[in-house]
Amino acid sequence: MQSTDLGNKESGKIWHRKPSPATRDGIIVNIIHSTSDYHPKVLRFLNVAFDGSGDCLIAGDHQGNIYVFDLHGNRFNLVQRTAQACTALAFNLRRKSEFLVALADYSIKCFDTVTKELVSWMRGHESSVFSISVHASGRYAITTSSDTAQLWDLDTFQRKRKLNIRQSVGIQKVFFLPLSNTIISCFKDNSIFAWECDTLFCKYQLPAPPESSSILYKVFAVTRDGRILAAGGKSNHLHLWCLEATQLFRIIQMPTKVRAIRHLEFLPDSFDAGSNQVLGVLSQDGIMRFVNIQTCKLLFEIGSLDEGISSSVISPHGRYIASVMENGSLNIYSVQALTHEINKPPPPLVKVIEDLPKNKLSSSDLKMKITSGRVQQPAKSREGKIQTRILKQDLMGNFENKENELSDGLNKKRLQILLKGYGEYPTKYRMFIWRSLLQLPENHTAFSSLIDKGTHVAFLNLQKKYPIKSRKLLRVLQRTLSALAHWSAIFSDTPYLPLLAFPFVKLFQNNQLICFEVVATLIINWCQYWFEYFPNPPINILSMIENVLAFHDKELLQHFIDHDVTSQLYAWPLLETVFSEVLTREEWLKLFDNIFSNHPSFLLMTVVAYNICSRSPLLHCTLKDDFETVEDMQAEVDQQRVKDEAWYQKQELLRKAEETRREMLLQEEEKIVEQRQRLAAVKRELKIKEIQLQDAARRRFLKLQQDQREMELQRLDDEIERKVQMRDREIASTAKDLEMRHLELETQKRLYEKNLTKNQEAVAKAIQEDADAYRRKVDLEDHMFHKVIEADQTQSRETQKWKEAEEKDFHLKSEKKASALSDASRKWFLKQEMSAALEHAENPFIQEARRLQNEQVASSCFPRTSRLNDISEMGSSAQISLNRKTEWDGMEQNLIKKVRNLRQRLTAQARNRCQTPHLLAT
């Protein structure tokens, strides 16, 4: 067994030397995929699928790496990295280079293996997709998840239909029947329905299985002809359903080691016409057993307890089996190697050495069931159970029916009745009937071993003796003769073997195995006594022919004896060429329909019958050479007769064809006249319809314009209404803002008046305190001054008078200065009050603070200026300030009244402006 590690390679060879699978396990190659990182690990393969040809397969691992393996070209290629695990694969699409892959994100993608590009991306499932079934045409595909099944069109990659079910009833599998337009849907409650793909019409429903062997179906498989459905589950029973009769016709019991069935798949065969007989059963122990469903015989098995199989796929032509192992590797098996022991030819002679006793066994004592070995063993039956297939044998000697029963469901008696009625078998089914009549083993292994030995020495120069124009036909004849010579050495020295085999080689040149087995079967059964006098002609057979001729036509036999003509001249040439030189192809095929359907002695009777049919020209012959010429002439006459008959038939057919052509021309002319009339009427109708359509289009266009204008007017009305509503809302919001502003102004006004009162009281108190202090100071200074005056009374009167004059002058000047200073302060105060009243609406607190600050500055400036004077001037200035205080209080009250009046006028003007928009809106 060869092993291949893909590693990090994107392409390479699958095997490096020619594989030679052992008969024991049949493994061609074991494929693993490991990484060479810091921590090496093995990437597990999850799914595998074959293409339509069967020589190419695709496999995906759990990291999303998808490889294509070409078993014929010995190459593998990495075609895609999906970065997520694949849950299902399909490689048998209409476009051979494309494949479908279902991913772990519940989506299905289509890739191209040549361009390695994404073709399409299909979404719609809400759970993992575990099955993809492709229609036989490759145009449609069904994807199945646990909650739904969806039908896709692979030309447009659009979803056509979706199967929704109740949550309580899950889906097991939905798939197409092979080579059919039928969809099979299997549910978890064991209900199975068949639907028509195009209309989704329910064709039929399978009945419930019997209660004695009721199992929950988990896995299903269908034969290639779509007639038999195999179902299994958590049991060792297999149910076989006939889909044509919609009934359960067989229950097969697997060995006791099998407790559950995980996978089922039929093994295709090139010559079973789709009615597959071998079923592969993968059980819970990882072993896949292949069973013949007709004989219930266990043929072979793959896998073991140590190396179990997780899933398995069989190629469409039945040559390879690809299995994903439980350890994550991929095994490729050769079916030819696995069936080598089964297809071994039986021994050449069989004889009965002991008869069964007739009185000890009854027909119900034997029951066949599948056992763990390779050979069926009898087992005692149990009444009331349908666990195994019961095979009844008639031990009373009634072997005639057994001989008449052929494989593939044919019956020899019925075939003979059909042959007697029609004279030949249907051309379409002739080869199939021949294979059944001859019971060909179709042993590929044995034939391959004979072919591998090459061309036999006896037939190296076959072309020189038998010059055949077709090189293919010569090559096939040479291989067939060489295989016969390797099979038995006597055939290498048989001179008439090429003549005997040539018609069969020409007939089966596209299937060399069937050709070899037909010739070998003919020699063993119809020519088995031809070699008793080898290398001379079979005297015993010729004597039989002569005896039969003597019984049926003594005159002809006496004529042969009189002219020294033996059976080697009138019988042996017909036998060694099997009538191929004296009959046409159709006659020869009809002859062998009868030969293969009757006893081997029929061939000898045919030789006698041919001579009797030719007795008239033979009785006129007197020389030995004339008899040979008559045989050749008879063949030529027959061929000429056939040619003449074919020519007359051809002329008759030509005459009939000419009459048919004339009738067809007359009918065509009549049809053309009718078509022209209908065409004119159709043109008139089309013209009328065109005018009507134009008129309707014009009306629709006018109506469309009218609707557009109405829509435009409606839009303008809506716009006007919207703007009016917006203006009303803005006016209302503005009025509310003004009202709120008015309330804020009133609040600020009251706060301002309160602060003003407090500030005035504080200023008045400060002035009063300053005045009192100044008064006390003045009194003190006056007192001191009086003391000084009293001390200086002694001075002169002139000096006192002068000083009093200067003091008066000073007092006058101080009074003038104080008066000017108070007037300037009052003017500045009035100016500040006016500006504060005008800006009061914007920021009354800031203005009030500024005014108070200015007043404090003014009030503070006033006493500072008064302190600059000397002590005498201070006294007079303080007296003047006290006199002016009353005037300032009156002026201040007048100023406050003016400010209030100004505020009232401003408020009234603001209200008038707010009311004006309301009047406009009404």
Side-chain angles (χ1 to χ4, degrees):
M1 179 185 69
Q2 299 188 49
S3 181
T4 301
D5 188 358
L6 303 182
N8 296 326
K9 295 181 290 185
E10 294 188 359
S11 63
K13 291 185 177 181
I14 303 175
W15 51 75
H16 297 281
R17 64 179 185 274
K18 184 177 180 181
S20 56
T23 308
R24 178 177 54 83
D25 54 11
I27 300 178
I28 298 176
V29 63
N30 171 254
I31 301 172
I32 60 174
H33 186 195
S34 62
T35 59
S36 58
D37 299 334
Y38 181 74
H39 295 288
K41 60 181 181 180
V42 176
L43 302 182
R44 298 173 55 85
F45 285 102
L46 297 179
N47 288 281
V48 63
F50 278 95
D51 65 348
S53 66
D55 293 328
C56 206
L57 63 94
I58 190 169
D61 59 24
H62 71 276
Q63 286 192 355
N65 301 311
I66 300 177
Y67 289 86
V68 171
F69 298 92
D70 184 2
L71 301 179
H72 182 72
N74 188 23
R75 298 291 298 176
F76 73 87
N77 288 286
L78 176 65
V79 295
Q80 196 58 234
R81 286 190 174 98
T82 60
Q84 51 184 325
C86 63
T87 58
L89 289 171
F91 199 18
N92 53 340
L93 277 62
R94 175 184 293 182
R95 292 173 286 274
K96 304 301 182 184
S97 62
E98 295 179 0
F99 66 91
L100 293 176
V101 53
L103 301 175
D105 62 352
Y106 312 153
S107 65
I108 302 101
K109 293 184 179 181
C110 180
F111 293 100
D112 193 295
T113 57
V114 178
T115 62
K116 300 182 181 180
E117 294 179 353
L118 176 65
V119 178
S120 182
W121 192 349
M122 297 174 285
R123 291 181 174 271
H125 284 276
E126 297 179 356
S127 58
S128 178
V129 177
F130 56 80
S131 172
I132 301 177
S133 176
V134 181
H135 191 267
S137 64
R139 182 179 178 184
Y140 302 108
I142 294 177
T143 56
T144 308
S145 60
S146 60
D147 56 352
T148 183
Q150 301 185 15
L151 177 63
W152 303 88
D153 188 342
L154 298 183
D155 289 339
T156 60
F157 294 100
Q158 299 294 323
R159 184 174 63 192
K160 292 189 64 178
R161 296 295 177 91
K162 181 179 180 181
L163 174 62
N164 292 318
I165 60 170
R166 298 193 303 270
Q167 294 182 355
S168 59
V169 181
I171 298 177
Q172 285 289 6
K173 191 174 182 181
V174 180
F175 55 94
F176 286 104
L177 283 183
L179 306 176
S180 174
N181 208 29
T182 304
I183 299 174
I184 298 294
S185 60
C186 309
F187 301 95
K188 292 184 178 179
D189 60 352
N190 272 17
S191 59
I192 301 175
F193 295 86
W195 312 83
E196 186 67 30
C197 176
D198 298 329
T199 62
L200 290 185
F201 173 76
C202 183
K203 300 174 66 175
Y204 55 83
Q205 178 185 1
L206 296 182
E211 296 181 357
S212 60
S213 180
S214 179
I215 58 176
L216 289 178
Y217 294 151
K218 297 289 186 181
V219 289
F220 306 88
V222 183
T223 57
R224 188 167 179 79
D225 58 3
R227 294 181 178 179
I228 298 176
L229 171 67
K234 197 172 182 181
S235 172
N236 65 342
H237 287 186
L238 278 176
H239 287 189
L240 299 181
W241 293 85
C242 179
L243 297 181
E244 293 180 345
T246 64
Q247 64 181 2
L248 181 67
F249 73 94
R250 187 167 299 158
I251 299 176
I252 298 178
Q253 181 183 3
M254 297 296 293
T256 55
K257 295 180 181 179
V258 178
R259 298 189 302 273
I261 298 173
R262 293 163 50 184
H263 183 69
L264 293 174
E265 189 157 359
F266 280 96
L267 180 63
D269 195 337
S270 303
F271 305 105
D272 58 6
S275 58
N276 310 134
Q277 303 297 316
V278 180
L279 176 63
V281 183
L282 177 61
S283 57
Q284 87 288 343
D285 55 3
I287 299 175
M288 192 167 188
R289 299 169 173 87
F290 287 83
V291 180
N292 189 308
I293 62 175
Q294 294 294 333
T295 62
C296 294
K297 181 180 179 181
L298 180 62
L299 303 180
F300 61 91
E301 59 186 31
I302 58 176
S304 62
L305 296 176
D306 297 332
E307 296 180 358
I309 297 175
S310 176
S311 63
S312 188
V313 179
I314 303 176
S315 62
H317 52 49
R319 297 178 186 172
Y320 306 108
I321 302 175
S323 299
V324 178
M325 311 304 290
E326 292 180 350
N327 59 9
S329 64
L330 181 64
N331 279 2
I332 310 296
Y333 295 89
S334 171
V335 176
Q336 181 180 354
L338 292 170
T339 58
H340 177 73
E341 295 293 334
I342 304 171
N343 293 331
K344 276 188 176 180
L349 296 176
V350 177
K351 62 180 179 179
V352 178
I353 61 175
E354 184 180 357
D355 291 334
L356 291 174
K358 297 182 179 180
N359 55 354
K360 292 184 179 181
L361 296 176
S362 63
S363 60
S364 60
D365 286 338
L366 291 180
K367 181 172 65 173
M368 306 301 292
K369 67 179 181 179
I370 297 176
T371 62
S372 60
R374 298 283 178 130
V375 184
Q376 294 178 344
Q377 299 293 337
K380 294 183 180 179
S381 63
R382 296 180 182 179
E383 297 180 357
K385 293 188 178 181
I386 323 174
Q387 293 185 352
T388 57
R389 177 190 174 214
I390 300 175
L391 302 179
K392 296 182 179 180
Q393 293 183 349
D394 189 356
L395 303 178
M396 302 301 294
N398 187 9
F399 297 103
E400 183 178 356
N401 293 332
K402 185 177 179 180
E403 291 180 359
N404 292 330
E405 290 294 333
L406 303 176
S407 60
D408 302 318
L410 299 179
N411 186 278
K412 190 173 182 180
K413 285 290 184 182
R414 295 179 181 178
L415 290 176
Q416 289 176 348
I417 295 172
L418 177 68
L419 182 63
K420 187 175 181 180
Y422 293 94
E424 61 178 335
Y425 291 130
T427 305
K428 183 178 180 181
Y429 301 104
R430 175 176 279 122
M431 301 300 107
F432 175 69
I433 294 173
W434 282 14
R435 291 205 304 270
S436 299
L437 289 171
L438 299 177
Q439 298 181 4
L440 302 182
E442 300 181 20
N443 192 336
H444 296 269
T445 306
F447 180 70
S448 299
S449 63
L450 294 174
I451 291 295
D452 292 341
K453 294 181 180 180
T455 305
H456 198 274
V457 180
F459 303 106
L460 289 174
N461 300 322
L462 183 66
Q463 187 177 5
K464 296 179 180 179
K465 189 174 182 180
Y466 300 98
I468 302 174
K469 294 182 179 180
S470 175
R471 297 185 62 84
K472 177 183 178 182
L473 192 60
L474 177 65
R475 186 167 58 252
V476 174
L477 177 62
Q478 194 174 31
R479 289 181 179 177
T480 304
L481 297 177
S482 299
L484 290 170
H486 290 305
W487 182 46
S488 179
I490 195 173
F491 294 133
S492 61
D493 298 325
T494 305
Y496 55 86
L497 186 62
L499 299 174
L500 179 70
F502 179 74
F504 297 99
V505 170
K506 192 172 183 180
L507 185 63
F508 297 101
Q509 58 182 325
N510 294 324
N511 195 331
Q512 300 179 33
L513 171 64
I514 299 299
C515 176
F516 171 80
E517 292 187 346
V518 167
V519 175
T521 305
L522 178 68
I523 293 173
I524 290 175
N525 293 276
W526 279 266
C527 310
Q528 57 181 330
Y529 299 109
W530 290 16
F531 303 95
E532 294 187 0
Y533 295 90
F534 186 82
N536 299 317
I539 306 301
N540 53 341
I541 300 298
L542 298 179
S543 298
M544 293 179 188
I545 295 174
E546 187 173 342
N547 293 334
V548 174
L549 181 62
F551 180 80
H552 289 282
D553 197 338
K554 294 182 180 180
E555 182 183 358
L556 181 59
L557 179 60
Q558 188 62 40
H559 181 71
F560 287 151
I561 295 173
D562 293 342
H563 296 85
D564 197 19
V565 176
T566 63
S567 56
Q568 296 185 18
L569 183 62
Y570 64 82
W572 179 237
L574 298 176
L575 289 176
E576 65 181 0
T577 59
V578 286
F579 294 89
S580 61
E581 293 184 356
V582 296
L583 298 178
T584 61
R585 176 184 173 87
E586 288 74 14
E587 293 173 344
W588 187 84
L589 292 173
K590 292 179 182 179
L591 173 63
F592 270 87
D593 285 344
N594 289 272
I595 290 175
F596 289 152
S597 301
N598 291 280
H599 192 272
S601 61
F602 186 84
L603 179 61
L604 307 182
M605 304 304 169
T606 305
V607 175
V608 175
Y610 184 84
N611 282 277
I612 292 175
C613 291
S614 305
R615 69 189 307 273
S616 178
L618 290 174
L619 290 174
H620 289 83
C621 295
T622 58
L623 299 177
K624 191 174 182 179
D625 295 338
D626 293 340
F627 286 97
E628 297 178 358
T629 306
V630 165
E631 295 288 343
D632 298 337
M633 287 180 62
Q634 184 65 27
E636 293 177 0
V637 166
D638 292 339
Q639 294 177 0
Q640 186 64 32
R641 177 174 52 81
V642 171
K643 291 181 180 179
D644 294 342
E645 185 177 355
W647 185 83
Y648 284 117
Q649 290 179 355
K650 183 177 180 181
Q651 295 299 321
E652 183 67 20
L653 290 174
L654 290 175
R655 184 183 62 79
K656 292 181 180 180
E658 182 66 22
E659 293 178 356
T660 306
R661 186 180 66 83
R662 290 177 182 176
E663 292 177 358
M664 291 176 61
L665 288 175
L666 292 174
Q667 293 176 0
E668 289 295 331
E669 289 179 357
E670 293 176 357
K671 289 181 181 179
I672 289 172
V673 172
E674 293 177 359
Q675 288 177 357
R676 286 176 180 174
Q677 293 176 356
R678 288 198 299 269
L679 182 61
V682 169
K683 285 183 177 179
R684 287 194 299 271
E685 292 177 0
L686 289 176
K687 192 65 177 178
I688 294 171
K689 288 183 179 179
E690 183 179 0
I691 295 172
Q692 292 176 353
L693 289 174
Q694 289 178 355
D695 190 14
R698 182 178 60 81
R699 288 197 299 271
R700 283 199 303 271
F701 181 71
L702 293 175
K703 188 175 182 302
L704 179 63
Q705 286 185 337
Q706 184 179 358
D707 293 341
Q708 288 180 350
R709 290 175 181 174
E710 290 178 356
M711 289 175 61
E712 187 67 22
L713 291 174
Q714 183 68 26
R715 188 184 64 80
L716 293 174
D717 292 340
D718 295 342
E719 187 70 20
I720 292 171
E721 184 178 358
R722 186 179 63 81
K723 289 186 177 180
V724 169
Q725 292 177 356
M726 288 179 62
R727 186 184 63 185
D728 293 342
R729 287 196 295 269
E730 289 177 355
I731 291 172
S733 62
T734 304
K736 290 180 181 179
D737 292 342
L738 289 175
E739 187 175 354
M740 293 296 296
R741 189 64 177 169
H742 175 67
L743 295 175
E744 290 177 359
L745 290 175
E746 287 293 333
T747 304
Q748 291 175 358
K749 174 185 173 183
R750 291 176 184 176
L751 183 62
Y752 171 71
E753 289 177 353
K754 183 178 179 181
N755 293 334
L756 181 61
T757 304
K758 290 181 180 179
N759 292 334
Q760 286 178 354
E761 291 177 356
V763 170
K765 186 177 180 181
I767 292 173
Q768 184 67 31
E769 290 177 354
D770 291 341
D772 293 340
Y774 181 72
R775 189 181 299 111
R776 287 192 300 270
K777 185 178 181 181
V778 169
D779 292 341
L780 181 60
E781 288 178 354
D782 288 344
H783 180 67
M784 293 177 66
F785 180 71
H786 285 303
K787 286 182 179 181
V788 173
I789 291 175
E790 290 177 358
D792 293 337
Q793 284 179 0
T794 59
Q795 292 181 1
S796 61
R797 296 288 181 184
E798 289 93 2
T799 305
Q800 188 176 4
K801 290 181 180 179
W802 177 256
K803 288 182 180 180
E804 289 177 358
E806 288 179 352
E807 185 178 356
K808 290 180 180 179
D809 185 53
F810 178 75
H811 280 296
L812 289 174
K813 289 181 181 179
S814 300
E815 184 178 358
K816 289 181 181 179
K817 290 180 181 180
S819 178
L821 183 60
S822 64
D823 291 339
S825 176
R826 181 63 61 184
K827 290 180 181 178
W828 178 82
F829 180 76
L830 291 174
K831 184 177 179 182
Q832 292 295 325
E833 286 294 324
M834 291 296 292
S835 61
L838 292 174
E839 296 176 359
H840 187 271
E842 296 179 357
N843 200 350
F845 293 107
I846 297 174
Q847 296 298 330
E848 180 65 21
R850 289 179 181 175
R851 188 183 66 78
L852 292 175
Q853 185 178 4
N854 292 331
E855 288 180 355
Q856 290 177 2
V857 172
S859 62
S860 63
C861 291
F862 177 73
R864 285 176 185 172
T865 54
S866 61
R867 291 192 190 98
L868 297 174
N869 299 323
D870 54 7
I871 298 172
S872 60
E873 290 177 351
M874 288 180 183
S876 61
S877 299
Q879 188 176 1
I880 293 171
S881 297
L882 293 173
N883 293 330
R884 293 282 185 177
K885 182 179 179 182
T886 56
E887 296 179 0
W888 290 353
D889 293 337
M891 292 174 67
E892 185 177 2
Q893 292 178 358
N894 294 330
L895 181 59
I896 291 172
K897 290 181 180 179
K898 289 180 181 179
V899 169
R900 289 177 180 175
N901 293 331
L902 179 59
R903 289 177 178 172
Q904 290 177 358
R905 288 197 300 273
L906 291 173
T907 304
Q909 290 177 3
R911 287 178 179 175
N912 292 332
R913 285 196 300 271
C914 292
Q915 292 176 357
T916 301
H918 289 284
L919 296 175
L920 293 174
T922 56

